[in-house]
Amino acid sequence: MSAGAVTLVALAVAVYLLKATVPLVLAGRTLPPVLLRVASMLPVALLSALVVTSTVAEGRNLVLDARVVGIAVAGVALWRRAGFVTVVVLAALATALSRALGGG
Amino acid sequence: MSGIVGRLDAEQRRILGKAATVAVSVAPFGLAFGVLCGKAGIPPWMCLLYSTLVFTGGSQFAAVGVLADGGTPQAAVVAGILLATRFVVFGVVLGDWLPPQRWKRVLAAHLLIDESMAIGAAAPREHRWFGFLAGGLAVYTVWPIASVVGAIALGGSPGLVERLGIDATIPAAFLALIWPALRGRDALAVAALAALITVVLVPVLPPGLPVIAAGAAAMLALRTPGVDGEPP
């Protein structure tokens, strides 16, 4: 098998196991109350982290580039109660414009 | 199709709209992944398999990126796994929304990605499973197709994602999805701490791990007595 094929098979299995472990182990039982309290705040923590990594991370480097402009505009739009699609489109436009005007 | 949509309530239609928007915004990344496969010598049919069987953008880019740089399959798999470790933590959130039937859980687990988790979490409690499915299936429709198109047609389109500012749409979408939840001291404290942990750890840990560490910020919730376990 080629390198690409070996990687594909191993990765597909490993990633699926990571995704399926908790839901299958739980198998219909509800989380104990302690874990429920954590779980309710988990999306906030995880998504905040993802916002940060997808804005300023590039591999292991922190990079301030045009994406920051896009997120700043998104933040303002959200504060001004803009709709979901508007926020996303404005972020793209702001970033593209910022790059066109000469920033990475 | 309109008959189905007609039977959904207003909130569900809003969720479908978000799912569609998110799916459209991952399309350029799918195209970019197809191009990367070309660089790594992975044929379009195998590129399609990556996007349908692995179905995890971060892991796919990490693994194939290693191959494109001349790395070994072992290194590629490790890189891909590191970027998927956060799904164990996501699984905790997901487990709460899933119907009890085992076969549904087996299938649903495959659809677990950042976007499906985010859309599900942003939905009201009674629609979380619906939101998760909508997000997961919408991306599952777009992502593999975009990958194949990228692999076949876009050999030389560097910088497409950057030129259109598409790379900002992903964090913008995540921000928009948690925005309603960022109310009250607890949520804001968790978000701020998670962001801080992430910024500090990105240069220190391999990619994928800072997000898990940020999950530790959620431990704050444990210390708050009587926290209302009801995310908005």
Side-chain angles (χ1 to χ4, degrees):
Chain A
M1 285 209 290
S2 65
V6 170
T7 302
L8 167 67
V9 172
L11 191 63
V13 170
V15 169
Y16 180 76
L17 287 178
L18 287 170
K19 291 178 179 182
T21 304
V22 173
L24 286 181
V25 161
L26 274 187
R29 297 192 286 271
T30 33
L31 293 175
V34 150
L35 273 189
L36 265 179
R37 290 217 318 271
V38 176
S40 75
M41 276 298 169
L42 263 177
V44 171
L46 293 171
L47 285 172
S48 302
L50 286 175
V51 169
V52 169
T53 55
S54 47
T55 307
V56 297
E58 222 164 77
R60 281 171 79 151
N61 301 311
L62 289 173
V63 173
L64 285 182
D65 60 20
R67 291 175 295 172
V68 177
V69 174
I71 286 304
V73 167
V76 170
L78 283 166
W79 174 55
R80 307 296 270 153
R81 303 172 190 270
F84 186 82
V85 175
T86 307
V87 170
V88 171
V89 169
L90 283 178
L93 283 177
T95 298
L97 196 58
S98 170
R99 288 209 172 100
L101 291 177
Chain B
M1 188 70 189
S2 62
I4 299 176
V5 173
R7 267 193 302 250
L8 303 173
D9 65 37
E11 184 57 48
Q12 287 175 311
R13 265 174 276 173
R14 261 197 296 274
I15 290 173
L16 284 185
K18 292 180 186 174
T21 307
V22 168
V24 167
S25 65
V26 304
F29 291 94
L31 293 174
F33 176 71
V35 173
L36 184 64
C37 281
K39 257 213 286 189
I42 291 174
W45 65 266
M46 195 180 293
C47 177
L48 179 65
L49 286 183
Y50 268 92
S51 287
T52 50
L53 295 182
V54 178
F55 186 56
T56 299
S59 297
Q60 289 174 236
F61 274 103
V64 176
V66 168
L67 293 178
D69 285 342
T72 62
Q74 295 90 305
V77 172
V78 168
I81 286 178
L82 280 177
L83 273 156
T85 46
R86 63 171 172 270
F87 292 128
V88 175
V89 182
F90 282 17
V92 175
V93 180
L94 179 63
D96 204 30
W97 310 335
L98 295 183
Q101 296 92 329
R102 192 181 192 86
W103 69 268
K104 287 187 185 174
R105 290 176 166 242
V106 169
L107 290 179
H110 191 56
L111 291 180
L112 178 56
I113 51 174
D114 297 340
E115 288 81 5
S116 56
M117 204 276 298
I119 293 178
R125 178 159 282 267
E126 67 273 16
H127 291 320
R128 284 191 185 137
W129 169 234
F130 178 84
F132 170 82
L133 268 188
L137 289 173
V139 176
Y140 203 75
T141 305
V142 170
W143 178 255
I145 295 176
S147 304
V148 169
V149 170
I152 294 176
L154 276 188
S157 248
L160 175 75
V161 166
E162 286 78 16
R163 270 203 311 265
L164 294 180
I166 301 288
D167 51 344
T169 61
I170 299 288
F174 289 149
L175 186 62
L177 287 168
I178 42 166
W179 193 261
L182 295 179
R183 221 149 273 170
R185 261 200 334 242
D186 290 336
L188 288 172
V190 169
L193 185 60
L196 184 63
I197 291 176
T198 307
V199 167
V200 166
L201 290 182
V202 159
V204 168
L205 292 179
L209 296 187
V211 173
I212 302 186
M219 293 303 161
L220 266 187
L222 280 179
R223 317 259 242 102
T224 318
V227 148
D228 178 348
E230 195 70 66

